[in-house]
Amino acid sequence: MKGLTEVTVLRLGHRPRRDKRLTTHVCLTARAFGARRILLDAPDKTIVSTVEDVTERFGGPFDIEVREAWRKVIADHPGPSMHLTMYGQPHTEVVAELDSPEELLIVLGAEKVPREVYDLATYNVSVGNQPHSEVAALAAVMLEVLGPGPLTQKRTGAELRIEPSKRGKQVESAD
Amino acid sequence: MKGLTEVTVLRLGHRPRRDKRLTTHVCLTARAFGARRILLDAPDKTIVSTVEDVTERFGGPFDIEVREAWRKVIADHPGPSMHLTMYGQPHTEVVAELDSPEELLIVLGAEKVPREVYDLATYNVSVGNQPHSEVAALAAVMLEVLGPGPLTQKRTGAELRIEPSKRGKQVESAD
């Protein structure tokens, strides 16, 4: 179940004042680990512009969109949806059961998530039944679904490219 | 190189006012993915107490300590050290090269990291040469070093245990 799936991430419960940095980490993790787009349930111009700026400099394709009608996003999604929660079923088992869906929706909340999300999602999925971080959980699930390939894949339209380096920083123009 | 390593995580550049939530995510990710301890380079009673509370409820062993002399922590570490940075060498390649060290130190910074860290660390390691999140990078490296085993391993001295559930929340006492 690696490499064939288009992943959309939905970030729920984003509070622009309180969650700006964590949601930014969620967005950039989604992009770096190979998601096609991220949807936020609350408008936040700062985050949209930060993420679009990273995509412009380091390449795409990756979209960020605000979708306040998040129930409809989950209900209308054409493929399976996975809600990440410490209470769910092991991510390795759930991902192994998927038949290479063309479109996977990964749903992750900020702090408390409305109870209905547990019912709306196709799967409730945990990355270990321990309290940790939605950023770490997203990374682990993306790795399980897509493998490490997207992390080092060439991006389209990048202005910059970082060359792996033993010591120091090597940034090149991406022509 | 899976399962034999004791991992210590060192969090650099922690600013108690600005980084409280992200550093908390780093600490809990370290614990959930199987590190033995986390070291902070700045005192922060709130985080220490949050992390100790999680370990008391969900089990250990996991320690959190403040070590302001972080240069000494890196220099004196008895095993190899890996500094996580978007500029480094691919994490899959570096981990594959390690010979099951008994003690691995993973170093991760908040925002800018002093140049000397690049020289002090045995390896500078990237999880994709893209901007994302130290929380996601830590999760990916921990998975590469220890595999997913620690995520579902039984913890010692836990008061609570979460049972994986298809819908909803199942919390049990951990006798």
Side-chain angles (χ1 to χ4, degrees), chain A residues 162-170, chain B residues 12 70 74 80-95 97-98 104-109 112-129 137 141:
Chain A
I162 291 170
E163 284 295 312
S165 171
K166 285 194 177 184
R167 311 255 163 222
K169 307 180 180 182
Q170 199 177 335
Chain B
L12 288 189
W70 59 265
I74 305 177
S81 54
M82 283 188 189
H83 166 227
L84 308 193
T85 159
M86 68 184 283
Y87 300 100
Q89 300 176 276
H91 74 294
T92 49
E93 291 175 19
V94 174
V95 172
E97 274 176 25
L98 295 177
L104 174 65
L105 180 69
I106 299 178
V107 183
L108 44 93
K112 277 237 169 178
V113 161
R115 164 70 218 194
E116 59 189 306
V117 176
Y118 288 81
D119 297 319
L120 274 170
T122 320
Y123 303 98
N124 291 285
V125 175
S126 68
V127 174
N129 297 106
V141 168

Side-chain angles (χ1 to χ4, degrees), chain A residues 11-26:
Chain A
R11 168 66 158 176
L12 288 188
H14 173 63
R15 296 155 299 181
R17 193 168 290 228
R18 187 165 149 70
D19 300 320
K20 212 171 279 297
R21 287 182 74 207
L22 269 168
T23 297
T24 302
H25 282 233
V26 166

Side-chain angles (χ1 to χ4, degrees), chain B residues 48-67:
Chain B
V48 170
S49 123
T50 300
V51 172
E52 287 179 343
D53 182 56
V54 167
T55 300
E56 203 164 297
R57 284 184 296 145
F58 292 94
F62 185 71
D63 299 317
I64 176 164
E65 290 166 31
V66 174
R67 293 284 185 83

Side-chain angles (χ1 to χ4, degrees), chain A residues 11 15 18-22 24-26 28-29 31-33 54 57-59 85-92 110-113 115 117-124 126-137 139-140 143-144 148 150-153 155 161-171, chain B residues 11 15 18-22 24-26 28-29 31-33 54 57-59 85-92 110-113 115 117-124 126-137 139-140 143-144 148 150-153 155 161-171:
Chain A
R11 168 66 158 176
R15 296 155 299 181
R18 187 165 149 70
D19 300 320
K20 212 171 279 297
R21 287 182 74 207
L22 269 168
T24 302
H25 282 233
V26 166
L28 296 181
T29 297
R31 176 184 169 279
F33 285 71
V54 167
R57 283 183 297 144
F58 292 95
T85 160
M86 69 183 281
Y87 299 100
Q89 301 176 275
H91 74 293
T92 48
E111 307 243 305
K112 277 237 168 177
V113 161
R115 164 69 219 196
V117 176
Y118 288 82
D119 297 320
L120 274 171
T122 319
Y123 303 98
N124 291 284
S126 67
V127 174
N129 297 106
Q130 298 284 335
H132 54 94
S133 166
E134 66 268 30
V135 183
L143 281 172
E144 197 68 23
L151 284 165
T152 48
Q153 209 163 34
R155 310 282 163 137
R161 196 180 52 228
I162 291 170
E163 284 295 312
S165 171
K166 285 194 177 184
R167 311 255 163 222
K169 307 180 180 182
Q170 199 177 335
V171 184
Chain B
R11 167 67 158 176
R15 297 156 299 181
R18 187 165 149 69
D19 298 322
K20 210 168 282 295
R21 287 183 73 208
L22 269 168
T24 302
H25 282 234
V26 166
L28 297 180
T29 297
R31 176 184 170 279
F33 285 72
V54 167
R57 284 184 296 145
F58 292 94
T85 159
M86 68 184 283
Y87 300 100
Q89 300 176 276
H91 74 294
T92 49
E111 307 243 305
K112 277 237 169 178
V113 161
R115 164 70 218 194
V117 176
Y118 288 81
D119 297 319
L120 274 170
T122 320
Y123 303 98
N124 291 285
S126 68
V127 174
N129 297 106
Q130 298 283 335
H132 55 93
S133 166
E134 65 268 29
V135 183
L143 281 172
E144 197 69 23
L151 284 165
T152 49
Q153 209 163 35
R155 309 283 164 137
R161 197 181 51 230
I162 290 170
E163 283 295 314
S165 171
K166 284 195 178 185
R167 312 255 162 221
K169 305 181 180 182
Q170 200 178 334
V171 184

